Every structure is written in structure tokens, then in C-alpha cells.
Amino acid sequence: MADRLDLPFYALDFEREFDRIIDYFADEYLAGRTPNPCVVCNNWLKFGKLWSYGKQLEADFIATGHYAQVVTTNGAPELHRGADPDKDQSYVLHGIRRSVLPHLLFPIGGYRKEQVRALAKTAGLGVHDKPDSVEICFVPGGDHGSFIRQRRPGMTTAGRIVDTAGHMLAEHDGIENFTIGQRKGLGFAAGERRYVLQIIPSENEVVVGDREELLAPALLASRVNWLVDAPTAPLSCTAKIRYRHTAAPATVIALPDGAARVEFAEAQSAVTPGQAVVFYDGTRVLGGGWIEETAARTSSDLAELCLSERP
């Protein structure tokens, strides 16, 4: 493509840095969490290392094919959802540093996917009918459990599947094969549907239960990256707890040390440690962080706690 468009082309070797992302991926699963390598790749590489290299070339902007939009309001750039709701990638971009926003270009963010394909076909680009990517790029077969065992051959993570009362239901081959909310592939037959409620890496245990037990009214997040000024009062917004989750009405309270508490208007299912929670005001991304655990404290109790913790 660069040759066809007569553009200078530079090949950058980020193998060592990408190796860190793979290590993160494996270690999160072994810690009983469910990682999101796309978010980390965007933070560390595409809008981290790559932008640093671009500045060395005195580049003004970095442009990528993400389905998201940068909208300038009152002279300030804002990150917004892409125009195609089925392909919107704003969720995985929440960790971009606010200082980088003025230097971002998302040329296809205002189009739907079929429009982009039509434009590519008209331009004679051979990739116009390329299949969509649906897998993690470094796990081509989709079997992340096998991939992690190859990556960490010395780890022994087999253990027990138990119910919430601690009764053993079955044995499993490794906690890396499970994620919160999982129903299929549990490895045992049950008279009723069971869902993964908790993963306990210290015991290599997987706790299963009813669907209702997956519901959580609130969560605690760490390492929150704000693309707006951090709120000093409870912030009403909508929040997504995974890429395909429909953003739900919520209240976010910023806590010390880059943490936040998110309380949902209605309890949400399968809040998963290791995934990102991202905050929206309409189509605008306000920020987001990493889910650490579910929580149950009420807003009034929390507000009192926050006031007591503020200097």
C-alpha cells in the first residue's frame, strides 16, 4: 500500500515490547483474571511506543484504522464512539493519554464498515473483501488455554470445580480455561445451568453457581485514565464492563490513587476482574480503568467514605 501511494515506509521492531503483552496475557489468566490485550497494546505500543517514534520523525499526527472519532468541542479534542455501532472500538482506546488526543486521526471512524469496504474496492485495494479479524492476533487457533500452557510450561493450575457451599462438583485441567460468566465448556454435566462466579488461583478452584449470583451492583476499578478532568463529585454516566457490553447507567466516584468506584443503576452480570470498565457521556469517552473486584456498598455510605478520605 505504501508503494502504491508513494509514501515513505518504516518497519519498526517491537518484538520485545510485544512479548511483554503476551506475558501480561498469560500472567493475568494464571492470576484468575481475564486480560484484555487489545487495550494494553493500544496503550503501550500503538499510542505509546509508535507515537514516541513518530515524534522523532517530527510527525504531527498518528493515524490508525480504529472505528472511533476525535471531535473538537470549544477548541478541545474529545474521544467519541465510531459511527458504526457494531464496529465501535472506543472501548479499547480509553487508556490513551489525554495529551495524545490532539495528535490522533481516525480516518474511517465516521463510516460504517460496509462503506469502508466500498471505498477500498473503488480505490482498487485488494484488502476490500478481507475477512474481519475475530481472534486474538497471537492466539490464532483461539485456544488460549493451550497457548498459556506452552508459554508457562512449569505452571500447575489443575484443580477443583466447586459450588458456593464448597462442595466439589468436578475436576478441571487449569484455571486458565475459565472466565467469569462462562457457562459452556465447564467439563461436567449438571442438572441445571451453572456459571463461573469466581476463580481462586491460590487454590486452583473454580466456583460455579446460578445466573442470578453473577449480578453485581457495583465494582472497584484501578489505574483509571481520565480523558476529562477527574470528577470531584459523583459523576453520572454510562459504563461498559466489556467490549460487547451495552453501556449501562452508572455513577462513578473517583477515589485516591487513581481508583474509582462504579455503581450501576441496575446490577450487571459477569463483572470480570482484569477487564476494563469505560465511562461514557453519550458518545464521548470520559475515561476508564481496570476492574479489580465487585462491590456492594451503597452510594450514601460511599459518599461519606469519599468525603472522609479527601484532604
Side-chain angles (χ1 to χ4, degrees), residues 35-46:
N36 195 315
C38 294
V39 174
V40 174
C41 185
N42 284 325
N43 296 349
W44 289 359
L45 295 187
K46 293 189 179 82

Side-chain angles (χ1 to χ4, degrees), residues 149-302:
R149 288 189 290 275
Q150 293 175 18
R151 188 79 178 181
R152 297 286 186 268
M155 297 294 296
T156 302
T157 59
R160 307 188 310 159
I161 298 176
V162 300
D163 61 19
T164 52
H167 301 135
M168 179 175 169
L169 303 175
E171 295 181 341
H172 65 78
D173 294 333
I175 60 172
E176 65 275 7
N177 297 315
F178 300 92
T179 187
I180 303 300
Q182 180 178 335
R183 178 174 67 86
K184 297 180 179 179
L186 297 183
F188 72 99
E192 55 192 32
R193 290 184 175 181
R194 301 290 184 93
Y195 298 81
V196 175
L197 305 178
Q198 186 181 11
I199 300 168
I200 307 174
S202 60
E203 305 292 334
N204 288 339
E205 280 191 348
V206 176
V207 182
V208 299
D210 299 333
R211 186 172 186 174
E212 290 73 20
E213 295 175 281
L214 279 174
L215 296 173
L219 64 84
L220 295 176
S222 66
R223 295 167 286 160
V224 175
N225 179 63
W226 288 104
L227 296 177
V228 297
D229 294 339
T232 57
L235 173 67
S236 295
C237 64
T238 59
K240 291 183 67 168
I241 56 173
R242 53 187 165 271
Y243 179 62
R244 289 297 183 189
H245 177 246
T246 300
T251 299
V252 179
I253 298 180
L255 299 175
D257 300 321
R261 176 186 172 85
V262 183
E263 290 196 340
F264 296 99
E266 295 184 4
Q268 298 298 298
S269 181
V271 175
T272 305
Q275 288 290 290
V277 57
V278 181
F279 318 131
Y280 291 85
D281 177 10
T283 64
R284 185 184 182 184
V285 180
L286 305 176
W290 295 98
I291 298 172
E292 295 296 334
E293 59 187 37
T294 58
R297 186 177 303 200
T298 64
S299 294
S300 57
D301 289 342
L302 179 67

Side-chain angles (χ1 to χ4, degrees), residues 3 15 31 58 73 87 94 115 133 137 187 189 238 241 247 276 287 292:
D3 286 344
E15 181 177 359
E58 298 184 349
T73 302
K87 297 298 180 182
H94 79 270
Q115 293 175 299
S133 175
C137 63
T238 59
I241 56 173
E292 295 296 334

